[in-house]
Each structure stands twice: as structure tokens, then as C-alpha cells.
Amino acid sequence: MKKSIALLAGVAAATLTFAPVHARASNNSASAPPPPAAASDPRVDELSQRVDALEQELQESEMRQAADHEKVDSWKPLSGWWDDTSISGRMYYDIASIENKNNGSRGKNNNGVGFDIKRFYVGIDHKFDEIFSANITTDFLYDSPTGTTNAVDATGNPATLTVSGSNATQIYIKKAYLQAKLSDAFIIRLGSADLPWIPYVEDVYGYRYVENTLIDRVKFGTSADWGVHVLGKLYDGLIAYQFSAINGGGYKKPGFIGMVNHTKRIDFEGRVSLNYQGFQLAVGGYDGALGVTGATLTNHTATRVDALGAYTGKLADHDVRLGFEYFTASNFTQVTSPTSSHGWGYGPFASIEIVPEWALFGRFDHVKPYSDAARNTFTNDYYNVGVSWSPAKIVDFALVYKHDAGYAGVFSDQNGTIGGTAFAPGNGGADNEIGLWGQFRW
């Protein structure tokens, strides 16, 4: 730009200088003597001064601009604790029609059509350095404590326990832990954190937003608890493990007030798994008193053995998930009862991608939760079938039909009271749902 202005100024000066001379020369003959040197034209001097001033101004402007650029380049972005902090969220919801019947009569009060928010988690992760980090995750849930649940009386016979309270939306602390990651093979978490089995199976299953996994659905385990958790992966992830020493009462009993988590003993849960090119094998177990407090008489110890075999990967260029979960458990409802009871169950599941973003899926659970004489004829069968659509990484939708049935008795799982009205042949009932299930996460 500076060169262009100087050139224009030079042309203008030359024009002002030589134009009068050329005009006079054209009026005289070629033989006329040259005129005497003319005095300096004041217009040329003025124009030259203006050009010099303009060039000086441009130079100063360029110098200021360069200095501004250097100053901006030297600025550092604002930093603080937020640099190493992330916030995440996840919500499970459905719009469904429910029909529940016990012995042919209308069962639960939630029969009909409606919109449900099953879970809403908000998590905050903060990294202090290369070793230490922390997590806190809240769980929003509409809690309805008023109702009945299955129990046994002092002699071990079936009984109905009435639970009373007020309906309200509750906010729980599901996870709150300090983590020390010494290596990929050795991580320690102190506080409430994911337990070894249920979160692992949820990741393999892939459809937690449609239904809880087998053990979680029948309430023979929970997904998080307060305690000490040691976990890690070996040989580039070929082998993974987790062992947890916990209170046993679940994450809804933090024990901040009244020391409600001071129990008779520490419970233990563990898992070891193998993952080779999408093929996964896992075994796990549980042993404890399920958070029974020191003043309560315990007659039995709750135990559980878990197993899973699965494949998650490609089959003819289609994403597939194939799995089979099995458990056997004792006294998960009988810790304080004089009688003992044993249960078991299994659940195959599968999903296959039809075209990108679309998949078919299904699952079947068969459970015999009791072995005591009063309830050993009861059987629970559950299945779901559906088609899912995942238009983006953060969103999933599924059109699903679910059937949860109980035969020769009554049982309480994550879907409510299932079966008949008493433990007797011919007593039965089912919960049927059809609708749209979904999740979104960030």
C-alpha cells in the first residue's frame, strides 16, 4: 500500500511540474531557446510534504499493529480448576403403555399410558494430577415408598410387609470417590463407586436404558456401594479385575448422619474377566450381610456366584452383541430369617445391526428365586424384543415390547410386584409394556 501511494504521489508531482512546461513548449517553435529555470512550484512542495507525512503515518501504524500482534500473541488463556474438570449426564426415559394383572385382576397402580424418567445422572470428574482424581455422580429418582413388599415371618412363612412414607423426587449420591491411579493395572477408589459385576454386564449388554441387567432386575445385587475398590487391567486389557470391600447396604445409605452404615461386617464383591478380540468371559461373586446393622440378628450370609460369556464385535460387517449371564445365590432375602433359601437364574441376550444406526435386539430371563418349601414353586420369566435407532452418539431410541411374568407366587423386581397374590399353584400374573424407550447423554 505504501509503494502505491508513493508512486501515485510521484506521478502527480511530475504532472504538475511538466504540464506547464509542455504547454509552453508546444506554443513555441523547435528552434526557440530554452526558457530560464523556473522557480520551485509551491504546489509540488505541498504535495511532497503531504506524501512524506502520509508515509510516516503508515510506518507508525504498521509499527503499532506489529506491537499489538506481539502483545496478543503473548497473552495466555485463563486457567483454573475447570481445565481438569468435566461434567457429564445421562437420562433414561420411556413413553409406554403398561398392563399389570395379578390372578386376572388389575395389579399395580401405574397401569395405563405415561411418560417416565427412570434415571437421571449428573456426574462431575476432576483430575488433580496424573495420579489423583475424583468423581461425584448424582442420581435423580422419583421414589414411591408407599406399598407392599414380599417378606417372611418369624417361622419362615410368606408374609407381606407394608412400607409407608411420602412420594417425592429424591436426589441420591450414587458415586462419590477419590481415585488413585498408580498404573492401568492398579487403581484404588475410596467412597461410593461402581461395583464389579452389574456395571460390567451393563456395558456388555448395551441396552441398560431399556431394562436393568439380570441380577439388578431381580434385586440380587446393586450397581454401586460405599467402600474400598481395587481394579485394573493387565496385558493391554486382555485381563481385567475388580475387588470391592463394601458396607453392603447400597449407595442410598451413605451413613453421613446417624452412622447408618455401621454394619456387623464388611461385604465383598469381585470379578475377573478376559477380553480377547471381542470374546469375553467373566466370573464373579458376592459374600456379606447386605448392610444389616450391628443390633440386628443375622441368621445367614448372602452369597452369589456370577458368570458371563459374550461376544461383542463384527459379524459379516454388522455390529453384534451375543451374551449369556448366569447366577446362583443364597439368602439374599433371608439374611435375618431363620430359614434359608437358594435361587438361580440365567439370561441370554442378543442384538444385531441391520443397517447403520438401526439394530434388532432381544433378551430372555428365567429365574427361580426361592428354594424354601413355602415358595419353591415360584418361577419368573422375563423377555423383551425391540428395534433401536441411534442417530447420534449421544442419543438412542428403542421401540420395545416387554413381558415380565410370575407363576405360582408373587415376586418384587425392578418392574414392581410380579405374579399372583400368594404362593400357591395357579397364582400368577404378568406385567406387559409396549412403547418407546430412550436415553441421551453428554
Side-chain angles (χ1 to χ4, degrees):
M1 181 176 179
K2 182 172 69 176
K3 291 180 179 180
S4 300
I5 293 174
L7 181 60
L8 290 174
V11 172
T15 301
L16 291 174
T17 303
F18 294 108
V21 176
H22 175 72
R24 290 193 299 268
S26 62
N27 294 327
N28 299 322
S29 62
S31 60
S40 175
D41 193 327
R43 294 176 298 173
V44 175
D45 294 340
E46 182 182 359
L47 182 58
S48 178
Q49 292 173 1
R50 290 182 179 179
V51 169
D52 291 341
L54 184 58
E55 288 181 351
Q56 179 67 24
E57 185 178 348
L58 285 172
Q59 290 176 356
E60 293 176 355
S61 176
E62 289 176 351
M63 292 174 63
R64 288 194 302 270
Q65 197 173 46
D68 289 342
H69 281 302
E70 291 177 1
K71 185 177 180 180
V72 171
D73 291 340
S74 67
W75 288 352
K76 294 182 179 180
L78 294 176
S79 61
W81 59 266
W82 51 85
D83 293 337
D84 297 307
T85 303
S86 62
I87 300 176
S88 60
R90 183 181 296 249
M91 185 175 81
Y92 302 144
Y93 61 91
D94 70 70
I95 306 171
S97 173
I98 301 175
E99 181 188 52
N100 175 268
K101 289 186 177 181
N102 305 119
N103 290 341
S105 300
R106 182 185 177 91
K108 298 181 297 186
N109 292 329
N110 61 348
N111 276 302
V113 181
F115 179 89
D116 301 316
I117 296 179
K118 297 297 183 69
R119 281 292 190 273
F120 188 14
Y121 303 111
V122 175
I124 301 173
D125 290 275
H126 180 74
K127 185 176 180 181
F128 299 101
D129 54 35
E130 293 303 314
I131 295 177
F132 292 100
S133 61
N135 172 279
I136 182 167
T137 300
T138 59
D139 179 10
F140 294 76
L141 173 67
Y142 181 75
D143 198 9
S144 179
T146 302
T148 60
T149 186
N150 303 314
V152 292
D153 59 23
T155 61
N157 294 319
T160 299
L161 176 65
T162 300
V163 181
S164 61
S166 59
N167 299 336
T169 299
Q170 308 286 349
I171 301 178
Y172 297 101
I173 299 175
K174 181 169 185 178
K175 291 186 281 188
Y177 61 82
L178 173 67
Q179 173 176 291
K181 183 177 181 180
L182 304 180
S183 69
D184 289 339
F186 191 68
I187 301 170
I188 301 175
R189 293 173 178 172
L190 302 177
S192 181
D194 285 338
L195 288 179
W197 190 256
I198 290 176
Y200 167 77
V201 179
E202 288 177 352
D203 186 59
V204 176
Y205 174 46
Y207 286 90
R208 167 60 185 88
Y209 69 96
V210 172
E211 188 63 83
N212 305 69
T213 56
L214 172 62
I215 291 172
D216 195 11
R217 183 184 67 82
V218 297
K219 300 183 180 180
F220 276 27
T222 187
S223 57
D225 205 342
W226 297 83
V228 180
H229 313 262
V230 180
L231 61 152
K233 294 182 179 181
L234 308 170
Y235 307 109
D236 295 326
L238 178 65
I239 297 174
Y241 72 92
Q242 181 178 341
F243 298 99
S244 298
I246 54 179
N247 289 326
Y251 63 89
K252 295 181 182 179
K253 292 176 64 177
F256 294 153
I257 300 174
M259 303 302 178
V260 295
N261 257 346
H262 282 219
T263 60
K264 278 192 170 183
R265 53 159 295 180
I266 294 295
D267 289 12
F268 297 93
E269 182 173 324
R271 184 204 79 246
V272 177
S273 58
L274 172 71
N275 187 341
Y276 178 72
Q277 295 184 354
F279 291 95
Q280 302 186 58
L281 294 174
V283 292
Y286 189 98
D287 183 276
L290 303 178
V292 173
T293 59
T296 304
L297 176 65
T298 56
N299 293 289
H300 304 286
T301 296
T303 61
R304 194 185 73 235
V305 177
D306 314 310
L308 176 86
Y311 172 73
T312 58
K314 293 284 186 180
L315 183 62
D317 293 328
H318 295 278
D319 291 330
V320 298
R321 294 175 183 265
L322 303 171
F324 185 91
E325 183 181 6
Y326 172 83
F327 79 92
T328 176
S330 296
N331 301 312
F332 261 76
T333 59
Q334 308 293 111
V335 171
T336 59
S337 171
T339 61
S340 178
S341 187
H342 173 77
W344 57 270
Y346 62 82
F349 57 86
S351 65
I352 181 169
E353 177 190 60
I354 313 167
V355 294
E357 301 180 1
W358 293 85
L360 291 174
F361 65 91
R363 167 180 154 192
F364 174 75
D365 296 349
H366 178 75
V367 181
K368 291 281 291 182
Y370 309 116
S371 65
D372 53 282
R375 302 177 293 178
N376 63 1
T377 58
F378 178 80
T379 300
N380 170 240
D381 286 335
Y382 167 92
Y383 65 83
N384 68 45
V385 291
V387 56
S388 63
W389 178 44
S390 302
K393 186 177 181 179
I394 64 170
V395 179
D396 296 285
F397 301 100
L399 183 63
V400 190
Y401 174 73
K402 296 164 55 172
H403 177 79
D404 193 358
Y407 309 98
V410 61
F411 182 67
S412 178
D413 64 12
Q414 294 288 0
N415 292 313
T417 302
I418 305 298
T421 55
F423 292 97
N427 256 263
D431 186 284
N432 295 285
E433 291 186 72
I434 186 170
L436 181 69
W437 274 255
Q439 71 170 338
F440 77 84
R441 55 196 184 278
W442 72 88

